[in-house]
Amino acid sequence: AQTVTQSQPEMSVQEAETVTLSCTYDTSESDYYLFWYKQPPSRQMILVIRQEAYKQQNATENRFSVNFQKAAKSFSLKISDSQLGDAAMYFCAYRDDRGSTLGRLYFGRGTQLTVWP
Amino acid sequence: GAGVSQTPSNKVTEKGKYVELRCDPISGHTALYWYRQSLGQGPEFLIYFQGTGAADDSGLPNDRFFAVRPEGSVSTLKIQRTERGDSAVYLCASSPNPGAYNEQFFGPGTRLTVL
């Protein structure tokens, strides 16, 4: 089964600084998708950024960017110019289109991000 | 409201009781997913519906758990003979189509506490 590992239970960053959250995954598939979700205390999971494995270019969404290393099966999230509103639990997730598991997301255990003013 | 909604927001029950958790997906979304998030963990897949049928229920932990989606929109997750280990946040998500590219939109979850 696919596994997603987030080795940093907690991270903290000063407002306006940059922070990187780590994620590794295990799969035998060549085509798949990787996601970073944000979960604030309201519990609502919000998609932050998405990466298609077949694309070599790293995805970017405003202050959020990823470093996707397919051979190393690594998918880190960089948050630039951190804001107080970025404080939340961040989950890395994996998904593929194999018929037997079509639809399901595999999540890591999350990284709790604290932003200091 | 255009998002996924879940009711109730919180549910407290006693061990052995039966509970139903409801999910209203985004209108027109054919794919619907249930996940369970235990304390300190990431969400874990339970079941996936495509239309009215359960396309993948391999994540349901045992036969006390059951889910339906009779008209292809609202879904209900049913838990019989609840146990303390069932305490968790139950998340529902919907997607326009089931393909891996498509974003899953999550509801705010139902926090279930079994005393």
PDB file of all heavy atoms in Angstrom, chain A residues 4-39:
ATOM      1  N   VAL A   4       2.654   7.579   3.155  1.00  0.00           N
ATOM      2  CA  VAL A   4       3.094   8.967   3.134  1.00  0.00           C
ATOM      3  C   VAL A   4       3.655   9.283   4.514  1.00  0.00           C
ATOM      4  O   VAL A   4       2.993   9.026   5.524  1.00  0.00           O
ATOM      5  CB  VAL A   4       1.931   9.919   2.809  1.00  0.00           C
ATOM      6  CG1 VAL A   4       2.405  11.370   2.848  1.00  0.00           C
ATOM      7  CG2 VAL A   4       1.345   9.592   1.437  1.00  0.00           C
ATOM      8  N   THR A   5       4.866   9.827   4.550  1.00  0.00           N
ATOM      9  CA  THR A   5       5.539  10.073   5.821  1.00  0.00           C
ATOM     10  C   THR A   5       5.876  11.553   5.971  1.00  0.00           C
ATOM     11  O   THR A   5       6.511  12.151   5.096  1.00  0.00           O
ATOM     12  CB  THR A   5       6.835   9.249   5.918  1.00  0.00           C
ATOM     13  OG1 THR A   5       6.530   7.861   5.769  1.00  0.00           O
ATOM     14  CG2 THR A   5       7.505   9.471   7.271  1.00  0.00           C
ATOM     15  N   GLN A   6       5.433  12.116   7.077  1.00  0.00           N
ATOM     16  CA  GLN A   6       5.815  13.474   7.445  1.00  0.00           C
ATOM     17  C   GLN A   6       6.597  13.359   8.750  1.00  0.00           C
ATOM     18  O   GLN A   6       6.033  12.999   9.770  1.00  0.00           O
ATOM     19  CB  GLN A   6       4.583  14.361   7.618  1.00  0.00           C
ATOM     20  CG  GLN A   6       3.837  14.599   6.317  1.00  0.00           C
ATOM     21  CD  GLN A   6       2.603  15.447   6.503  1.00  0.00           C
ATOM     22  OE1 GLN A   6       1.483  14.967   6.413  1.00  0.00           O
ATOM     23  NE2 GLN A   6       2.810  16.739   6.757  1.00  0.00           N
ATOM     24  N   SER A   7       7.856  13.655   8.695  1.00  0.00           N
ATOM     25  CA  SER A   7       8.743  13.397   9.826  1.00  0.00           C
ATOM     26  C   SER A   7       8.814  14.544  10.823  1.00  0.00           C
ATOM     27  O   SER A   7       9.472  14.421  11.860  1.00  0.00           O
ATOM     28  CB  SER A   7      10.148  13.089   9.317  1.00  0.00           C
ATOM     29  OG  SER A   7      10.640  14.185   8.554  1.00  0.00           O
ATOM     30  N   GLN A   8       8.127  15.637  10.528  1.00  0.00           N
ATOM     31  CA  GLN A   8       8.166  16.810  11.414  1.00  0.00           C
ATOM     32  C   GLN A   8       6.785  16.993  12.054  1.00  0.00           C
ATOM     33  O   GLN A   8       5.898  17.559  11.439  1.00  0.00           O
ATOM     34  CB  GLN A   8       8.515  18.068  10.613  1.00  0.00           C
ATOM     35  CG  GLN A   8       9.790  17.985   9.813  1.00  0.00           C
ATOM     36  CD  GLN A   8       9.779  18.964   8.640  1.00  0.00           C
ATOM     37  OE1 GLN A   8       8.777  19.086   7.942  1.00  0.00           O
ATOM     38  NE2 GLN A   8      10.883  19.652   8.406  1.00  0.00           N
ATOM     39  N   PRO A   9       6.587  16.542  13.278  1.00  0.00           N
ATOM     40  CA  PRO A   9       5.269  16.726  13.909  1.00  0.00           C
ATOM     41  C   PRO A   9       4.929  18.205  14.108  1.00  0.00           C
ATOM     42  O   PRO A   9       3.766  18.588  14.023  1.00  0.00           O
ATOM     43  CB  PRO A   9       5.409  16.024  15.251  1.00  0.00           C
ATOM     44  CG  PRO A   9       6.596  15.159  15.113  1.00  0.00           C
ATOM     45  CD  PRO A   9       7.504  15.798  14.099  1.00  0.00           C
ATOM     46  N   GLU A  10       5.956  19.022  14.375  1.00  0.00           N
ATOM     47  CA  GLU A  10       5.736  20.447  14.635  1.00  0.00           C
ATOM     48  C   GLU A  10       6.833  21.270  13.977  1.00  0.00           C
ATOM     49  O   GLU A  10       7.996  20.857  13.930  1.00  0.00           O
ATOM     50  CB  GLU A  10       5.739  20.728  16.137  1.00  0.00           C
ATOM     51  CG  GLU A  10       4.660  20.007  16.917  1.00  0.00           C
ATOM     52  CD  GLU A  10       4.769  20.252  18.407  1.00  0.00           C
ATOM     53  OE1 GLU A  10       5.807  20.772  18.845  1.00  0.00           O
ATOM     54  OE2 GLU A  10       3.825  19.929  19.132  1.00  0.00           O
ATOM     55  N   MET A  11       6.438  22.448  13.484  1.00  0.00           N
ATOM     56  CA  MET A  11       7.396  23.402  12.958  1.00  0.00           C
ATOM     57  C   MET A  11       6.928  24.790  13.371  1.00  0.00           C
ATOM     58  O   MET A  11       5.725  25.025  13.594  1.00  0.00           O
ATOM     59  CB  MET A  11       7.479  23.325  11.428  1.00  0.00           C
ATOM     60  CG  MET A  11       8.103  22.064  10.886  1.00  0.00           C
ATOM     61  SD  MET A  11       9.900  22.053  11.086  1.00  0.00           S
ATOM     62  CE  MET A  11      10.372  23.195   9.769  1.00  0.00           C
ATOM     63  N   SER A  12       7.881  25.723  13.465  1.00  0.00           N
ATOM     64  CA  SER A  12       7.503  27.093  13.771  1.00  0.00           C
ATOM     65  C   SER A  12       8.315  28.043  12.898  1.00  0.00           C
ATOM     66  O   SER A  12       9.413  27.706  12.442  1.00  0.00           O
ATOM     67  CB  SER A  12       7.715  27.405  15.257  1.00  0.00           C
ATOM     68  OG  SER A  12       9.080  27.261  15.592  1.00  0.00           O
ATOM     69  N   VAL A  13       7.749  29.208  12.670  1.00  0.00           N
ATOM     70  CA  VAL A  13       8.393  30.189  11.799  1.00  0.00           C
ATOM     71  C   VAL A  13       8.003  31.585  12.262  1.00  0.00           C
ATOM     72  O   VAL A  13       6.900  31.797  12.802  1.00  0.00           O
ATOM     73  CB  VAL A  13       7.981  29.958  10.332  1.00  0.00           C
ATOM     74  CG1 VAL A  13       6.487  30.158  10.130  1.00  0.00           C
ATOM     75  CG2 VAL A  13       8.787  30.842   9.384  1.00  0.00           C
ATOM     76  N   GLN A  14       8.883  32.513  12.067  1.00  0.00           N
ATOM     77  CA  GLN A  14       8.593  33.909  12.365  1.00  0.00           C
ATOM     78  C   GLN A  14       7.811  34.498  11.195  1.00  0.00           C
ATOM     79  O   GLN A  14       8.044  34.157  10.020  1.00  0.00           O
ATOM     80  CB  GLN A  14       9.906  34.681  12.532  1.00  0.00           C
ATOM     81  CG  GLN A  14       9.811  35.949  13.336  1.00  0.00           C
ATOM     82  CD  GLN A  14       9.813  35.695  14.835  1.00  0.00           C
ATOM     83  OE1 GLN A  14      10.335  34.685  15.285  1.00  0.00           O
ATOM     84  NE2 GLN A  14       9.223  36.582  15.602  1.00  0.00           N
ATOM     85  N   GLU A  15       6.887  35.347  11.521  1.00  0.00           N
ATOM     86  CA  GLU A  15       6.125  36.048  10.490  1.00  0.00           C
ATOM     87  C   GLU A  15       7.083  36.689   9.478  1.00  0.00           C
ATOM     88  O   GLU A  15       8.130  37.234   9.856  1.00  0.00           O
ATOM     89  CB  GLU A  15       5.265  37.127  11.147  1.00  0.00           C
ATOM     90  CG  GLU A  15       4.125  37.626  10.314  1.00  0.00           C
ATOM     91  CD  GLU A  15       3.242  38.615  11.070  1.00  0.00           C
ATOM     92  OE1 GLU A  15       3.592  38.975  12.224  1.00  0.00           O
ATOM     93  OE2 GLU A  15       2.218  39.023  10.520  1.00  0.00           O
ATOM     94  N   ALA A  16       6.737  36.565   8.193  1.00  0.00           N
ATOM     95  CA  ALA A  16       7.494  37.114   7.054  1.00  0.00           C
ATOM     96  C   ALA A  16       8.694  36.250   6.656  1.00  0.00           C
ATOM     97  O   ALA A  16       9.314  36.502   5.617  1.00  0.00           O
ATOM     98  CB  ALA A  16       7.948  38.535   7.271  1.00  0.00           C
ATOM     99  N   GLU A  17       9.000  35.226   7.448  1.00  0.00           N
ATOM    100  CA  GLU A  17      10.106  34.341   7.105  1.00  0.00           C
ATOM    101  C   GLU A  17       9.596  33.175   6.261  1.00  0.00           C
ATOM    102  O   GLU A  17       8.407  33.040   5.980  1.00  0.00           O
ATOM    103  CB  GLU A  17      10.780  33.833   8.377  1.00  0.00           C
ATOM    104  CG  GLU A  17      11.434  34.925   9.215  1.00  0.00           C
ATOM    105  CD  GLU A  17      12.555  35.621   8.469  1.00  0.00           C
ATOM    106  OE1 GLU A  17      13.423  34.931   7.910  1.00  0.00           O
ATOM    107  OE2 GLU A  17      12.544  36.881   8.425  1.00  0.00           O
ATOM    108  N   THR A  18      10.558  32.308   5.877  1.00  0.00           N
ATOM    109  CA  THR A  18      10.260  31.156   5.018  1.00  0.00           C
ATOM    110  C   THR A  18      10.414  29.864   5.811  1.00  0.00           C
ATOM    111  O   THR A  18      11.320  29.745   6.652  1.00  0.00           O
ATOM    112  CB  THR A  18      11.207  31.139   3.808  1.00  0.00           C
ATOM    113  OG1 THR A  18      10.959  32.299   3.001  1.00  0.00           O
ATOM    114  CG2 THR A  18      10.984  29.890   2.955  1.00  0.00           C
ATOM    115  N   VAL A  19       9.534  28.922   5.560  1.00  0.00           N
ATOM    116  CA  VAL A  19       9.591  27.624   6.234  1.00  0.00           C
ATOM    117  C   VAL A  19       9.347  26.523   5.210  1.00  0.00           C
ATOM    118  O   VAL A  19       8.622  26.725   4.229  1.00  0.00           O
ATOM    119  CB  VAL A  19       8.546  27.551   7.378  1.00  0.00           C
ATOM    120  CG1 VAL A  19       7.129  27.627   6.833  1.00  0.00           C
ATOM    121  CG2 VAL A  19       8.726  26.292   8.201  1.00  0.00           C
ATOM    122  N   THR A  20       9.986  25.372   5.435  1.00  0.00           N
ATOM    123  CA  THR A  20       9.824  24.216   4.542  1.00  0.00           C
ATOM    124  C   THR A  20       9.342  23.009   5.326  1.00  0.00           C
ATOM    125  O   THR A  20       9.947  22.649   6.343  1.00  0.00           O
ATOM    126  CB  THR A  20      11.150  23.887   3.832  1.00  0.00           C
ATOM    127  OG1 THR A  20      11.550  25.015   3.034  1.00  0.00           O
ATOM    128  CG2 THR A  20      10.972  22.685   2.916  1.00  0.00           C
ATOM    129  N   LEU A  21       8.261  22.420   4.860  1.00  0.00           N
ATOM    130  CA  LEU A  21       7.699  21.216   5.467  1.00  0.00           C
ATOM    131  C   LEU A  21       8.061  20.019   4.593  1.00  0.00           C
ATOM    132  O   LEU A  21       7.913  20.075   3.376  1.00  0.00           O
ATOM    133  CB  LEU A  21       6.177  21.338   5.595  1.00  0.00           C
ATOM    134  CG  LEU A  21       5.650  22.604   6.277  1.00  0.00           C
ATOM    135  CD1 LEU A  21       4.134  22.535   6.405  1.00  0.00           C
ATOM    136  CD2 LEU A  21       6.305  22.838   7.612  1.00  0.00           C
ATOM    137  N   SER A  22       8.482  18.938   5.216  1.00  0.00           N
ATOM    138  CA  SER A  22       8.970  17.772   4.483  1.00  0.00           C
ATOM    139  C   SER A  22       7.918  16.675   4.349  1.00  0.00           C
ATOM    140  O   SER A  22       7.057  16.518   5.212  1.00  0.00           O
ATOM    141  CB  SER A  22      10.190  17.188   5.199  1.00  0.00           C
ATOM    142  OG  SER A  22      11.221  18.144   5.302  1.00  0.00           O
ATOM    143  N   CYS A  23       8.044  15.933   3.266  1.00  0.00           N
ATOM    144  CA  CYS A  23       7.148  14.797   3.032  1.00  0.00           C
ATOM    145  C   CYS A  23       7.864  13.799   2.135  1.00  0.00           C
ATOM    146  O   CYS A  23       8.490  14.188   1.139  1.00  0.00           O
ATOM    147  CB  CYS A  23       5.857  15.268   2.364  1.00  0.00           C
ATOM    148  SG  CYS A  23       4.753  13.942   1.807  1.00  0.00           S
ATOM    149  N   THR A  24       7.794  12.536   2.475  1.00  0.00           N
ATOM    150  CA  THR A  24       8.246  11.472   1.589  1.00  0.00           C
ATOM    151  C   THR A  24       7.116  10.479   1.408  1.00  0.00           C
ATOM    152  O   THR A  24       6.202  10.402   2.236  1.00  0.00           O
ATOM    153  CB  THR A  24       9.488  10.754   2.133  1.00  0.00           C
ATOM    154  OG1 THR A  24       9.183  10.195   3.421  1.00  0.00           O
ATOM    155  CG2 THR A  24      10.672  11.689   2.267  1.00  0.00           C
ATOM    156  N   TYR A  25       7.182   9.715   0.338  1.00  0.00           N
ATOM    157  CA  TYR A  25       6.099   8.778   0.038  1.00  0.00           C
ATOM    158  C   TYR A  25       6.688   7.533  -0.603  1.00  0.00           C
ATOM    159  O   TYR A  25       7.837   7.546  -1.056  1.00  0.00           O
ATOM    160  CB  TYR A  25       5.049   9.434  -0.874  1.00  0.00           C
ATOM    161  CG  TYR A  25       5.616   9.918  -2.186  1.00  0.00           C
ATOM    162  CD1 TYR A  25       5.586   9.119  -3.323  1.00  0.00           C
ATOM    163  CD2 TYR A  25       6.228  11.166  -2.270  1.00  0.00           C
ATOM    164  CE1 TYR A  25       6.131   9.557  -4.512  1.00  0.00           C
ATOM    165  CE2 TYR A  25       6.782  11.607  -3.460  1.00  0.00           C
ATOM    166  CZ  TYR A  25       6.737  10.808  -4.569  1.00  0.00           C
ATOM    167  OH  TYR A  25       7.295  11.232  -5.742  1.00  0.00           O
ATOM    168  N   ASP A  26       5.905   6.504  -0.618  1.00  0.00           N
ATOM    169  CA  ASP A  26       6.349   5.258  -1.206  1.00  0.00           C
ATOM    170  C   ASP A  26       5.278   4.762  -2.178  1.00  0.00           C
ATOM    171  O   ASP A  26       4.108   4.660  -1.801  1.00  0.00           O
ATOM    172  CB  ASP A  26       6.606   4.209  -0.120  1.00  0.00           C
ATOM    173  CG  ASP A  26       7.205   2.935  -0.689  1.00  0.00           C
ATOM    174  OD1 ASP A  26       7.888   3.013  -1.723  1.00  0.00           O
ATOM    175  OD2 ASP A  26       6.987   1.866  -0.108  1.00  0.00           O
ATOM    176  N   THR A  27       5.684   4.479  -3.392  1.00  0.00           N
ATOM    177  CA  THR A  27       4.764   3.954  -4.393  1.00  0.00           C
ATOM    178  C   THR A  27       5.546   3.238  -5.471  1.00  0.00           C
ATOM    179  O   THR A  27       6.713   3.563  -5.713  1.00  0.00           O
ATOM    180  CB  THR A  27       3.918   5.084  -5.021  1.00  0.00           C
ATOM    181  OG1 THR A  27       2.981   4.517  -5.940  1.00  0.00           O
ATOM    182  CG2 THR A  27       4.796   6.082  -5.768  1.00  0.00           C
ATOM    183  N   SER A  28       4.885   2.300  -6.132  1.00  0.00           N
ATOM    184  CA  SER A  28       5.485   1.627  -7.283  1.00  0.00           C
ATOM    185  C   SER A  28       4.903   2.156  -8.592  1.00  0.00           C
ATOM    186  O   SER A  28       5.299   1.713  -9.673  1.00  0.00           O
ATOM    187  CB  SER A  28       5.260   0.117  -7.180  1.00  0.00           C
ATOM    188  OG  SER A  28       3.885  -0.162  -7.095  1.00  0.00           O
ATOM    189  N   GLU A  29       3.965   3.098  -8.482  1.00  0.00           N
ATOM    190  CA  GLU A  29       3.337   3.683  -9.657  1.00  0.00           C
ATOM    191  C   GLU A  29       4.227   4.774 -10.257  1.00  0.00           C
ATOM    192  O   GLU A  29       5.049   5.371  -9.557  1.00  0.00           O
ATOM    193  CB  GLU A  29       1.974   4.286  -9.290  1.00  0.00           C
ATOM    194  CG  GLU A  29       0.981   3.285  -8.715  1.00  0.00           C
ATOM    195  CD  GLU A  29       0.597   2.227  -9.708  1.00  0.00           C
ATOM    196  OE1 GLU A  29       0.272   2.588 -10.868  1.00  0.00           O
ATOM    197  OE2 GLU A  29       0.626   1.031  -9.356  1.00  0.00           O
ATOM    198  N   SER A  30       4.043   5.014 -11.546  1.00  0.00           N
ATOM    199  CA  SER A  30       4.798   6.080 -12.206  1.00  0.00           C
ATOM    200  C   SER A  30       3.950   7.329 -12.409  1.00  0.00           C
ATOM    201  O   SER A  30       4.478   8.436 -12.488  1.00  0.00           O
ATOM    202  CB  SER A  30       5.324   5.593 -13.564  1.00  0.00           C
ATOM    203  OG  SER A  30       4.248   5.176 -14.382  1.00  0.00           O
ATOM    204  N   ASP A  31       2.633   7.147 -12.460  1.00  0.00           N
ATOM    205  CA  ASP A  31       1.721   8.285 -12.609  1.00  0.00           C
ATOM    206  C   ASP A  31       0.894   8.442 -11.342  1.00  0.00           C
ATOM    207  O   ASP A  31       0.205   7.498 -10.942  1.00  0.00           O
ATOM    208  CB  ASP A  31       0.778   8.077 -13.808  1.00  0.00           C
ATOM    209  CG  ASP A  31       1.541   8.150 -15.122  1.00  0.00           C
ATOM    210  OD1 ASP A  31       2.522   8.906 -15.189  1.00  0.00           O
ATOM    211  OD2 ASP A  31       1.131   7.459 -16.067  1.00  0.00           O
ATOM    212  N   TYR A  32       0.979   9.601 -10.751  1.00  0.00           N
ATOM    213  CA  TYR A  32       0.235   9.844  -9.520  1.00  0.00           C
ATOM    214  C   TYR A  32       0.200  11.344  -9.265  1.00  0.00           C
ATOM    215  O   TYR A  32       0.758  12.133 -10.039  1.00  0.00           O
ATOM    216  CB  TYR A  32       0.864   9.111  -8.326  1.00  0.00           C
ATOM    217  CG  TYR A  32       2.359   9.325  -8.183  1.00  0.00           C
ATOM    218  CD1 TYR A  32       2.866  10.414  -7.476  1.00  0.00           C
ATOM    219  CD2 TYR A  32       3.258   8.426  -8.761  1.00  0.00           C
ATOM    220  CE1 TYR A  32       4.224  10.601  -7.351  1.00  0.00           C
ATOM    221  CE2 TYR A  32       4.625   8.615  -8.642  1.00  0.00           C
ATOM    222  CZ  TYR A  32       5.108   9.690  -7.942  1.00  0.00           C
ATOM    223  OH  TYR A  32       6.456   9.890  -7.818  1.00  0.00           O
ATOM    224  N   TYR A  33      -0.496  11.719  -8.202  1.00  0.00           N
ATOM    225  CA  TYR A  33      -0.643  13.126  -7.856  1.00  0.00           C
ATOM    226  C   TYR A  33      -0.300  13.300  -6.382  1.00  0.00           C
ATOM    227  O   TYR A  33      -0.598  12.432  -5.556  1.00  0.00           O
ATOM    228  CB  TYR A  33      -2.083  13.599  -8.115  1.00  0.00           C
ATOM    229  CG  TYR A  33      -2.479  13.484  -9.567  1.00  0.00           C
ATOM    230  CD1 TYR A  33      -2.926  12.276 -10.098  1.00  0.00           C
ATOM    231  CD2 TYR A  33      -2.391  14.583 -10.418  1.00  0.00           C
ATOM    232  CE1 TYR A  33      -3.273  12.166 -11.427  1.00  0.00           C
ATOM    233  CE2 TYR A  33      -2.740  14.481 -11.753  1.00  0.00           C
ATOM    234  CZ  TYR A  33      -3.174  13.266 -12.256  1.00  0.00           C
ATOM    235  OH  TYR A  33      -3.526  13.163 -13.568  1.00  0.00           O
ATOM    236  N   LEU A  34       0.287  14.419  -6.082  1.00  0.00           N
ATOM    237  CA  LEU A  34       0.655  14.739  -4.706  1.00  0.00           C
ATOM    238  C   LEU A  34      -0.002  16.063  -4.324  1.00  0.00           C
ATOM    239  O   LEU A  34      -0.151  16.957  -5.158  1.00  0.00           O
ATOM    240  CB  LEU A  34       2.166  14.855  -4.565  1.00  0.00           C
ATOM    241  CG  LEU A  34       2.941  13.564  -4.857  1.00  0.00           C
ATOM    242  CD1 LEU A  34       4.411  13.847  -5.047  1.00  0.00           C
ATOM    243  CD2 LEU A  34       2.738  12.547  -3.738  1.00  0.00           C
ATOM    244  N   PHE A  35      -0.384  16.165  -3.063  1.00  0.00           N
ATOM    245  CA  PHE A  35      -1.133  17.323  -2.592  1.00  0.00           C
ATOM    246  C   PHE A  35      -0.608  17.762  -1.227  1.00  0.00           C
ATOM    247  O   PHE A  35      -0.131  16.953  -0.433  1.00  0.00           O
ATOM    248  CB  PHE A  35      -2.623  16.981  -2.421  1.00  0.00           C
ATOM    249  CG  PHE A  35      -3.281  16.373  -3.631  1.00  0.00           C
ATOM    250  CD1 PHE A  35      -3.193  15.008  -3.873  1.00  0.00           C
ATOM    251  CD2 PHE A  35      -4.003  17.152  -4.512  1.00  0.00           C
ATOM    252  CE1 PHE A  35      -3.809  14.426  -4.972  1.00  0.00           C
ATOM    253  CE2 PHE A  35      -4.630  16.589  -5.614  1.00  0.00           C
ATOM    254  CZ  PHE A  35      -4.526  15.227  -5.845  1.00  0.00           C
ATOM    255  N   TRP A  36      -0.743  19.035  -0.972  1.00  0.00           N
ATOM    256  CA  TRP A  36      -0.609  19.571   0.380  1.00  0.00           C
ATOM    257  C   TRP A  36      -1.954  20.189   0.751  1.00  0.00           C
ATOM    258  O   TRP A  36      -2.486  21.024   0.010  1.00  0.00           O
ATOM    259  CB  TRP A  36       0.486  20.626   0.476  1.00  0.00           C
ATOM    260  CG  TRP A  36       1.858  20.049   0.607  1.00  0.00           C
ATOM    261  CD1 TRP A  36       2.780  19.855  -0.378  1.00  0.00           C
ATOM    262  CD2 TRP A  36       2.471  19.585   1.819  1.00  0.00           C
ATOM    263  NE1 TRP A  36       3.921  19.301   0.120  1.00  0.00           N
ATOM    264  CE2 TRP A  36       3.767  19.124   1.482  1.00  0.00           C
ATOM    265  CE3 TRP A  36       2.065  19.525   3.156  1.00  0.00           C
ATOM    266  CZ2 TRP A  36       4.660  18.614   2.419  1.00  0.00           C
ATOM    267  CZ3 TRP A  36       2.943  19.007   4.089  1.00  0.00           C
ATOM    268  CH2 TRP A  36       4.225  18.560   3.723  1.00  0.00           C
ATOM    269  N   TYR A  37      -2.476  19.731   1.911  1.00  0.00           N
ATOM    270  CA  TYR A  37      -3.714  20.271   2.451  1.00  0.00           C
ATOM    271  C   TYR A  37      -3.403  20.999   3.755  1.00  0.00           C
ATOM    272  O   TYR A  37      -2.514  20.609   4.512  1.00  0.00           O
ATOM    273  CB  TYR A  37      -4.724  19.158   2.752  1.00  0.00           C
ATOM    274  CG  TYR A  37      -5.473  18.629   1.552  1.00  0.00           C
ATOM    275  CD1 TYR A  37      -4.975  17.574   0.795  1.00  0.00           C
ATOM    276  CD2 TYR A  37      -6.694  19.187   1.183  1.00  0.00           C
ATOM    277  CE1 TYR A  37      -5.680  17.083  -0.292  1.00  0.00           C
ATOM    278  CE2 TYR A  37      -7.406  18.698   0.089  1.00  0.00           C
ATOM    279  CZ  TYR A  37      -6.881  17.654  -0.644  1.00  0.00           C
ATOM    280  OH  TYR A  37      -7.586  17.172  -1.723  1.00  0.00           O
ATOM    281  N   LYS A  38      -4.184  22.029   3.991  1.00  0.00           N
ATOM    282  CA  LYS A  38      -4.108  22.802   5.238  1.00  0.00           C
ATOM    283  C   LYS A  38      -5.376  22.545   6.035  1.00  0.00           C
ATOM    284  O   LYS A  38      -6.484  22.574   5.472  1.00  0.00           O
ATOM    285  CB  LYS A  38      -4.009  24.285   4.890  1.00  0.00           C
ATOM    286  CG  LYS A  38      -4.125  25.255   6.048  1.00  0.00           C
ATOM    287  CD  LYS A  38      -4.120  26.690   5.512  1.00  0.00           C
ATOM    288  CE  LYS A  38      -4.298  27.710   6.613  1.00  0.00           C
ATOM    289  NZ  LYS A  38      -4.305  29.095   6.091  1.00  0.00           N
ATOM    290  N   GLN A  39      -5.218  22.268   7.343  1.00  0.00           N
ATOM    291  CA  GLN A  39      -6.388  22.049   8.202  1.00  0.00           C
ATOM    292  C   GLN A  39      -6.302  22.974   9.408  1.00  0.00           C
ATOM    293  O   GLN A  39      -5.566  22.703  10.357  1.00  0.00           O
ATOM    294  CB  GLN A  39      -6.483  20.590   8.653  1.00  0.00           C
ATOM    295  CG  GLN A  39      -7.767  20.277   9.402  1.00  0.00           C
ATOM    296  CD  GLN A  39      -7.864  18.813   9.830  1.00  0.00           C
ATOM    297  OE1 GLN A  39      -6.899  18.229  10.302  1.00  0.00           O
ATOM    298  NE2 GLN A  39      -9.043  18.218   9.667  1.00  0.00           N
TER     299      GLN A  39
END
